[in-house]
Amino acid sequence: MPYDKKYFEEMDLKNFNDSNKRFFAKVVEHDLVKPLEDCHKVLDCGCGTGNKMNVFLANGKDVEGFDFSPAAIKFVKSKGMKGFVSSIYDIDAKKNSYDGCYAWCVLEHLDKPKKAVSEMFRVIKPGGKIAVSTEIYSKDFFERDKTHVQYYTFESAKKLFEEAGFINVKIRKSHYPFKGAIYMPHFISLPISYFIGSIISSIIIIYAEKPSK
């Protein structure tokens, strides 16, 4: 499917249907917003429809997003949010521009992850924080998405971020149990997320800091 206006409108409606809106917001708050609570100016790396940006805004953050797709940024701006077209390999932002940044399920799509993580390191301020999610299923175990380039283990993800210069790298499983949960009735998806999501989730979250000096 092409990444056009229709695509982003459909994705936005799917993620924000009435029955699952609170579930999605709670997961984003737990996995991304709370770990970056000390960060005011935040960058969404690969913002897509801007759904996660909405949650950050609702929590009082100054959030800006970028995406490689002009259609995505046009859609984000149509919702009154700040965004710009950019490659994650060469983020169109000055060094030390943000207090923190995050990326949700972007890393597994990248053929040059080291360059992307180094760019995240560059654009956040000394002492800044990041929260980056990625999928951990291997292709041999379960082929989830044809656009995925590679999958990560706890060890390989930690090494990737430490080699980019990040410190205090911590990794845990997301409360988001599996992608299909977003379409479940809220009374089912929320208990699954909070009681067994951290065990069965295919998504890990990498938290790390840029050294203060």
Side-chain angles (χ1 to χ4, degrees), residues 10-137:
E10 290 178 351
M11 290 300 293
D12 188 63
L13 291 173
K14 285 180 180 178
N15 285 340
F16 277 80
N17 62 66
D18 291 340
S19 64
N20 296 302
K21 189 174 183 179
R22 289 179 298 161
F23 165 66
F24 182 78
K26 286 293 184 183
V27 172
V28 173
E29 286 175 354
H30 184 277
D31 287 352
L32 300 179
V33 179
K34 188 174 181 181
L36 300 180
E37 61 185 355
D38 297 331
C39 305
H40 177 65
K41 187 177 182 182
V42 181
L43 179 66
D44 184 329
C45 303
C47 62
T49 65
N51 289 332
K52 291 164 288 297
M53 292 173 66
N54 271 332
V55 182
F56 272 82
L57 287 169
N59 281 270
K61 302 299 182 183
D62 177 9
V63 63
E64 185 174 19
F66 76 82
D67 200 281
F68 75 96
S69 168
I73 298 305
K74 184 177 181 180
F75 186 71
V76 164
K77 287 184 174 181
S78 74
K79 296 166 67 176
M81 296 184 289
K82 295 186 291 185
F84 59 95
V85 178
S86 180
S87 166
I88 198 169
Y89 301 128
D90 186 18
I91 301 173
D92 189 15
K94 294 181 180 180
K95 182 179 179 181
N96 304 335
S97 294
Y98 299 90
D99 301 321
C101 72
Y102 65 91
W104 182 269
C105 289
V106 171
L107 203 61
E108 64 271 19
H109 296 269
L110 306 179
D111 56 4
K112 294 183 285 185
K114 290 183 179 180
K115 187 169 179 58
V117 174
S118 294
E119 276 293 277
M120 294 180 201
F121 185 89
R122 180 184 67 82
V123 300
I124 65 171
K125 300 174 183 177
K129 298 179 180 180
I130 64 165
V132 178
S133 79
T134 188
E135 300 224 20
I136 59 174
Y137 282 147

Side-chain angles (χ1 to χ4, degrees), residues 173-194:
K173 286 196 174 184
S174 170
H175 268 14
Y176 193 50
F178 48 89
K179 289 182 177 180
I182 195 66
Y183 308 116
M184 290 181 175
H186 181 64
F187 71 91
I188 296 176
S189 60
L190 196 58
I192 286 176
S193 233
Y194 281 88

Side-chain angles (χ1 to χ4, degrees), residues 139-194:
K139 290 186 176 182
D140 291 336
F141 177 68
F142 189 60
E143 183 62 56
R144 295 177 62 81
D145 191 322
K146 297 297 183 182
T147 66
H148 291 179
V149 175
Q150 59 184 303
Y151 294 86
Y152 295 85
T153 63
F154 278 61
E155 294 76 18
S156 65
K158 184 175 183 181
K159 181 180 179 182
L160 176 65
F161 282 81
E162 287 181 338
E163 288 182 347
F166 286 102
I167 60 173
N168 298 327
V169 180
K170 298 177 182 178
I171 303 174
R172 67 165 178 78
K173 286 196 174 184
S174 170
H175 268 14
Y176 193 50
F178 48 89
K179 289 182 177 180
I182 195 66
Y183 308 116
M184 290 181 175
H186 181 64
F187 71 91
I188 296 176
S189 60
L190 196 58
I192 286 176
S193 233
Y194 281 88

